[in-house]
Amino acid sequence: MGEPSVLLQEEQMSAQPLQSSARESGADTGGSRWTPRVFLAISGVSLLAAALIMVWLVNHEESEAEPSGVLSHIHGMAVNPSDELLYVATHEGLFVLGEDGTPTRVGQGRQDLMGFTLVGPDHFLASGHPAPADDGPSHLGLIESTDAGRTWEPVSLGGEADFHVLRYSHGKAYGVDSVSGQLLVSEDLVNWEPRGSQQLFDLAVHPIDPDAIVATGPSGTLGSNDGGRTWEPIATESMVFLDWTNSGALWGVGPGGDIFDNYDEGVTWRPAVGSAEATPTAFTVVGETMFLATDDGRILEGDDFGRTWREVHPPAS
């Protein structure tokens, strides 16, 4: 299996897009949003934050899967607009959480879905590794479902890429490949443009500008104004996961479950709006509702900006 996305291999960026078919796609460059005056100097992550990040890394490693129907090793979550239910990508396949919190396997797939993101109603993208009994390469590349995860089809980079971070915004897929260590971007899901190597935990794309990206990494919070081709440090807060909502609010969660919010494109963060007081493994925000998965298999829901949480799925053990 691939290494976690934060243990990326440094490689030089290829000058040509990666291709898996004859379909062609043009690269979108866009204008500059980040300026040097907004970048804050970073003195380094504190020892406490570094220790918490190491705990998160250990708990985020792949391990033996739990029995079917028990959620553990949660890697991603998304609310499907067609049924407004929470879909959960795990070490052994995709599940949907019922209104009573009961998880139900979606389809027959048991892939290790390391990367997972929503495109639209019933439309998902994912990446990771095949189930132990499946044939094929050890890296799924990009796979796609248009029936709410019941079936999946390979799209591109099979056997080549393992996206541990996967986002879809502005008609583009953004993926951090744990194999090459590169951020790859595609407009057609087939042809991929490498945009440089960078150690990233997560990234979020501005809801209006596709080239404005904020990411988290070992050294703090990073910003890019050119679609991830170059990065600058913009804040010292130690965070793991991000989500940028259409309202313009950028939300972050720290390695200990602290919730941060931001309204100036990642520069100034309001610390500890609330806290789940747990090690997070996945995070998503839908409207004013937050969902946070923890390293012990719980899923927490909150609608007061992280101040209080409801347990909608119990621990795995």
Side-chain angles (χ1 to χ4, degrees):
M1 294 200 176
E3 294 295 322
S5 59
V6 294
L7 302 177
L8 303 177
Q9 303 170 12
E10 293 284 342
E11 290 193 1
Q12 293 295 325
M13 182 179 71
S14 169
Q16 300 296 327
L18 300 177
Q19 298 188 18
S20 293
S21 80
R23 285 196 289 170
E24 296 182 354
S25 160
D28 183 8
T29 53
S32 174
R33 295 179 64 91
W34 301 98
T35 58
R37 63 186 177 83
V38 303
F39 296 139
L40 304 181
I42 286 185
S43 60
V45 180
S46 69
L47 291 177
L48 176 59
L52 288 170
I53 288 173
M54 289 306 297
V55 170
W56 178 82
L57 289 175
V58 170
N59 284 294
H60 204 60
E61 292 279 358
E62 297 94 341
S63 63
E64 293 299 318
E66 297 290 334
S68 176
V70 178
L71 299 182
S72 65
H73 307 290
I74 297 169
H75 301 309
M77 298 183 294
V79 173
N80 185 359
S82 69
D83 56 17
E84 298 184 346
L85 295 177
L86 184 69
Y87 286 70
V88 184
T90 77
H91 185 74
E92 62 159 11
L94 184 67
F95 293 81
V96 60
L97 210 63
E99 294 181 358
D100 62 353
T102 300
T104 301
R105 180 179 296 281
V106 180
Q108 300 300 314
R110 291 177 177 266
Q111 307 99 322
D112 180 9
L113 300 177
M114 295 300 299
F116 177 71
T117 192
L118 173 74
V119 177
D122 294 338
H123 192 180
F124 304 142
L125 299 176
S127 187
H129 314 283
D134 291 349
D135 295 328
S138 60
H139 303 305
L140 293 175
L142 186 74
I143 60 176
E144 180 180 32
S145 175
T146 56
D147 58 6
R150 287 185 288 275
T151 61
W152 294 89
E153 295 293 334
V155 180
S156 58
L157 301 182
E160 301 176 46
D162 173 18
F163 294 116
H164 284 200
V165 178
L166 193 58
R167 298 288 178 262
Y168 188 87
S169 183
H170 305 287
K172 302 174 187 285
Y174 302 74
V176 178
D177 176 24
S178 69
V179 178
S180 67
Q182 296 188 97
L183 171 64
L184 305 177
V185 179
S186 176
E187 292 185 353
D188 63 0
L189 308 183
V190 175
N191 300 284
W192 295 84
E193 178 191 353
R195 294 192 178 176
S197 298
Q198 185 65 246
Q199 291 189 6
L200 301 177
F201 299 156
D202 197 10
L203 63 82
V205 183
H206 194 283
I208 297 176
D209 184 353
D211 282 331
I213 304 176
V214 173
T216 58
S219 60
T221 308
L222 307 174
S224 174
N225 67 351
D226 57 8
R229 296 174 180 87
T230 60
W231 298 91
E232 296 288 346
I234 57 173
T236 57
E237 282 78 9
S238 174
M239 288 176 284
V240 179
F241 297 110
L242 299 170
D243 203 355
W244 214 331
T245 65
N246 290 333
S247 69
L250 176 58
W251 295 95
V253 56
D258 290 341
I259 303 298
F260 300 80
D261 65 350
N262 171 273
Y263 295 89
D264 61 1
E265 300 182 2
V267 178
T268 307
W269 292 85
R270 183 170 59 166
V273 178
S275 180
E277 298 181 353
T279 302
T281 62
F283 176 67
T284 190
V285 183
V286 182
E288 296 183 354
T289 301
M290 296 179 177
F291 295 95
L292 186 146
T294 69
D295 62 336
D296 60 1
R298 288 181 296 151
I299 296 178
L300 307 177
E301 178 183 2
D303 54 14
D304 58 357
F305 309 111
R307 294 180 179 87
T308 60
W309 298 89
R310 298 180 297 278
E311 185 178 276
V312 295
H313 182 269
S317 58

